[in-house]
Amino acid sequence: MRRGSIVQLALFAAVAGALGVLVATRLHWLPEPATREAGRIHFVFWFVTGICIFIFAIVAAVLGYAVWKFRRAPDDDSDGPPIHGHTGLEITWTAIPFLLVTSMAIVSAIVLAKDDAAGANPLRVDVVAQQFKWSFYYGCKPIPKGAADCSKAKESDILMLPVNRSVVLHMTSRDVIHSFWVPQFSQKQDVVPGIHPTLHITPDRIGTYPVICTELCGLGHGLMRSQAKVLSAAAFAKWAKSGPAAAAPGLTNGASGLAVFKGSACSSCHTLAAAGSHGTIGPDLDKLQAEATRAGKPLAAFIHESIVSPNAYIEPRYPRSVMPQNFAHLLTKTQISSLVQFLVASAKKGGK
Ligand code: CUA
């Protein structure tokens, strides 16, 4: 190969590489990482992207150079010269990708191992997903099969986290498959009913980030969002001490009707002035009296049936089977009856 050709090829490669670098760095593909794990994952991402740009530059340069240099003259109908293999070239283009792919595998394995290492005394937070709400519990006691006793735990609708402390999220779904995702944490975890997956994070940037459900889990899936707040250690300790702890058994709230209403995610889908909720996926619970009349049932019996057997009567214009069918199992009899009483009382006050 002549020296001139090598210089030309190198020029093509420089232009293609510069284009690749521009596209990779000028566009904001990824959110700023907010955990140490995310920082390492971003490192893997940039490591692989760098290798990709390198390979892209070589391939694009050879392709561009060949198209430009060996283009056919308009009147040239002849065949090109036959070409036999080139052993040296073939060994090179096998060995280099082999080394690059192996290095990616090694770097990824190291990062995965480091990201999973939670250290000796991580903070335990229980993440409970249900249609269509996230709840977070602090201070749950592990019980066999990966489940937890959260009867004395502190409950929060927002994921509160201390900065620079190892945290293990223990996840539970009360109904269908959900998926926990905070973009700035760079990790996703499916929350599958019956198993209790964990996710290790070490937040390292104070701020507020979205918690998003990324598994289509029903009509309210798009609304199944919360927030993760990373606080300074002092602010987190202050928050952890404040406010009442949840008092009921299992992964549920206190037994008052309002607490059951809020703890069971009713607010995500229903409007109810007494609970300050504005959901529109399910019928307006400030109009329960009128709905009971349409269903032709006494108010309390209608409310009870609508909770434990939601498909028995469907309000016009609302689809069937959207309301979770399992509240009779999720809630105790006491909780259901206090919920019914609470809704009867708010309906009798005339809703709004
Ligand atoms: Cu839960 Cu989508």
Side-chain angles (χ1 to χ4, degrees):
M1 220 170 156
R2 286 181 300 107
R3 201 133 143 244
S5 316
I6 292 178
V7 170
Q8 283 162 345
L9 261 174
L11 273 176
F12 269 99
V15 171
L19 270 176
V21 169
L22 274 181
V23 172
T25 55
R26 290 286 104 196
L27 301 177
H28 290 284
W29 299 100
L30 295 172
E32 261 315 276
T35 60
R36 273 180 220 162
E37 292 68 27
R40 291 188 200 111
I41 291 167
H42 282 221
F43 171 76
V44 176
F45 178 84
W46 286 114
F47 179 72
V48 174
T49 304
I51 290 175
C52 291
I53 291 173
F54 170 70
I55 297 284
F56 170 75
I58 293 176
V59 172
V62 172
L63 193 67
Y65 177 81
V67 166
W68 169 66
K69 194 84 179 176
F70 305 114
R71 67 188 182 281
R72 196 191 60 148
D75 55 350
D76 179 6
D77 287 335
S78 63
D79 287 337
I83 293 172
H84 296 284
H86 187 299
T87 310
L89 198 57
E90 283 171 23
I91 288 175
T92 310
W93 76 37
T94 307
I96 291 177
F98 174 78
L99 291 176
L100 292 178
V101 172
T102 308
S103 70
M104 284 186 227
I106 291 171
V107 168
S108 306
I110 293 172
V111 165
L112 279 175
K114 280 198 167 185
D115 277 3
D116 275 347
N121 185 28
L123 172 71
R124 176 187 177 118
V125 181
D126 282 73
V127 177
V128 178
Q130 73 181 102
Q131 292 166 317
F132 301 102
K133 179 179 187 266
W134 296 103
S135 311
F136 306 98
Y137 294 83
Y138 298 77
C140 299
K141 297 267 171 303
I143 51 177
K145 289 193 188 165
D149 171 13
C150 295
S151 54
K152 300 205 174 70
K154 179 184 176 66
E155 199 219 350
S156 172
D157 285 345
I158 291 175
L159 176 56
M160 305 295 251
L161 297 166
V163 75
N164 292 330
R165 168 143 191 221
S166 198
V167 179
V168 176
L169 305 173
H170 290 254
M171 308 204 185
T172 299
S173 167
R174 281 182 179 164
D175 37 48
V176 298
I177 304 176
H178 303 273
S179 187
F180 175 90
W181 183 45
V182 176
Q184 288 78 1
F185 295 176
S186 291
Q187 298 182 85
K188 264 186 195 173
Q189 178 60 56
D190 277 6
V191 192
V192 181
I195 58 175
H196 299 277
T198 58
L199 187 65
H200 171 235
I201 54 173
T202 317
D204 62 358
R205 195 156 61 88
I206 290 173
T208 302
Y209 314 105
V211 174
I212 301 170
C213 178
T214 57
E215 183 73 49
L216 183 60
C217 55
L219 206 61
H221 159 70
L223 301 171
M224 192 168 162
R225 289 178 172 230
S226 178
Q227 286 181 327
K229 279 197 177 149
V230 178
L231 309 173
S232 69
F236 179 79
K238 193 172 161 218
W239 172 81
K241 277 200 208 110
S242 69
L251 288 169
T252 45
N253 273 345
S256 89
L258 178 59
V260 177
F261 188 89
K262 289 192 165 163
S264 305
C266 310
S267 318
S268 322
C269 298
H270 294 286
T271 293
L272 182 70
S277 67
H278 307 283
T280 53
I281 289 173
D284 184 343
L285 301 184
D286 287 320
K287 300 185 178 130
L288 273 172
Q289 192 74 65
E291 288 153 11
T293 309
R294 270 197 289 282
K297 293 196 178 115
L299 184 60
F302 169 70
I303 294 172
H304 186 270
E305 179 190 73
S306 301
I307 294 167
V308 300
S309 178
N311 277 346
Y313 167 79
I314 298 290
E315 188 55 13
R317 294 183 299 110
Y318 288 94
R320 286 175 72 78
S321 298
V322 167
M323 166 104 168
Q325 308 285 308
N326 54 353
F327 281 117
H329 301 290
L330 290 178
L331 301 174
T332 63
K333 286 220 166 69
T334 325
Q335 286 176 319
I336 292 176
S337 74
S338 58
L339 180 56
V340 173
Q341 280 165 27
F342 166 68
L343 290 170
V344 168
S346 83
K348 290 219 164 124
K349 273 190 223 138
K352 290 157 192 160

